[in-house]
Amino acid sequence: GQQLNQSPQSMFIQEGEDVSMNCTSSSIFNTWLWYKQDPGEGPVLLIALYKAGELTSNGRLTAQFGITRKDSFLNISASIPSDVGIYFCAGARFAGGSQGNLIFGKGTKLSVKP
Amino acid sequence: DTGVSQDPRHKITKRGQNVTFRCDPISEHNRLYWYRQTLGQGPEFLTYFQNEAQLEKSRLLSDRFSAERPKGSFSTLEIQRTEQGDSAMYLCASSDVTRAGTGELFFGEGSRLTVL
């Protein structure tokens, strides 16, 4: 099935560092979402974006909905150990009949620097 | 716990056997979704229900797959004649219809299927 292009695929963080990741698509979306998944668990919603150009924060997390509606980025400031996990972007059109079809990226895996 | 509940959490089966997964959504949610996630990939949409009506099915949902939500509460996902390619995590999610358009899906912990 269709998936979004998410980068980087993986990154190592040191506590206190800022982290950036992004997601691009060849198609336009009306909604962008960012989820985090810990091992053995389902994805948990972090931030939802509904308007092109929108910038939204949730604590140390900030995400933006690209003005072309084909991309989004997520920043994590002052990372802490519990930030490790896999971050997924997801796009949705919510137009016409499709109300359930979230399209996910392949994820960015955040690990702690050894 | 009032989150989305899935059962079983893990299932190992031999190729050709049938398997069934159950999902209990958050009680006040009337939309229920099934996604599949393979290793190293993001979740992929399979199907969703509003109450007992199945409103959308992905092309990924072959004729060996069937999902039901008979009373608009819990749902089952059955895979008949399993193949090794069916090995994946099957995720269930639910949402409130007044918020469904926002994409705020609440996921369960998933049912991991291994087909030998």
Side-chain angles (χ1 to χ4, degrees):
Chain A
Q2 178 187 0
Q3 291 205 328
L4 304 174
N5 299 312
Q6 196 170 341
S7 67
Q9 288 186 340
S10 63
M11 57 195 311
F12 288 90
I13 58 170
Q14 207 148 44
E15 189 171 351
E17 284 181 340
D18 294 345
V19 172
S20 289
M21 60 191 77
N22 65 60
C23 199
T24 60
S25 168
S26 56
S27 305
I28 288 172
F29 289 109
N30 294 318
T31 300
W32 282 94
L33 307 124
W34 286 91
Y35 284 83
K36 180 177 182 245
Q37 188 173 29
D38 292 327
E41 313 238 339
V44 174
L45 181 67
L46 299 173
I47 290 184
L49 302 153
Y50 308 114
K51 281 188 196 174
E54 180 181 357
L55 188 73
T56 296
S57 292
N58 178 8
R60 293 178 297 105
L61 277 58
T62 302
Q64 184 156 30
F65 190 144
I67 56 172
T68 65
R69 293 198 283 159
K70 291 183 179 181
D71 61 344
S72 177
F73 73 76
L74 175 71
N75 284 346
I76 305 172
S77 62
S79 56
I80 59 178
S82 62
D83 290 335
V84 301
I86 303 179
Y87 291 78
F88 290 100
C89 61
R93 296 191 178 87
F94 295 130
S98 179
Q99 289 287 312
N101 193 354
L102 289 186
I103 297 169
F104 282 81
K106 291 188 178 182
T108 293
K109 184 176 180 181
L110 237 56
S111 305
V112 176
K113 266 184 194 167
Chain B
D1 185 77
T2 56
V4 177
S5 176
Q6 293 189 243
D7 183 70
R9 293 288 313 277
H10 303 275
K11 178 73 177 177
I12 299 173
T13 192
K14 290 183 180 176
R15 190 176 54 182
Q17 298 294 305
N18 298 346
V19 296
T20 300
F21 301 115
R22 175 182 169 121
C23 172
D24 287 90
I26 293 171
S27 59
E28 60 269 27
H29 287 182
N30 55 10
R31 285 202 175 164
L32 186 149
Y33 310 78
W34 286 99
Y35 281 76
R36 182 178 73 182
Q37 185 176 26
T38 53
L39 205 58
Q41 304 292 318
E44 294 178 292
F45 172 76
L46 293 178
T47 187
Y48 95 97
F49 294 83
Q50 180 160 325
N51 300 315
E52 63 274 10
Q54 189 172 17
L55 296 188
E56 187 175 351
K57 290 197 281 189
S58 158
R59 285 181 221 133
L60 291 175
L61 211 67
S62 77
D63 55 7
R64 296 184 298 105
F65 287 69
S66 62
E68 292 183 344
R69 195 182 182 199
K71 297 180 182 175
S73 56
F74 73 91
S75 175
T76 57
L77 176 69
E78 182 184 16
I79 308 174
Q80 295 183 323
R81 305 181 303 281
T82 52
E83 301 173 355
Q84 288 182 326
D86 297 331
S87 296
M89 175 79 85
Y90 290 86
L91 292 162
C92 177
S94 69
S95 69
D96 177 347
V97 68
T98 62
R99 302 182 66 80
T102 66
E104 292 186 20
L105 306 190
F106 295 83
F107 284 87
E109 293 177 322
S111 292
R112 180 168 295 284
L113 173 66
T114 302
V115 182
L116 301 176

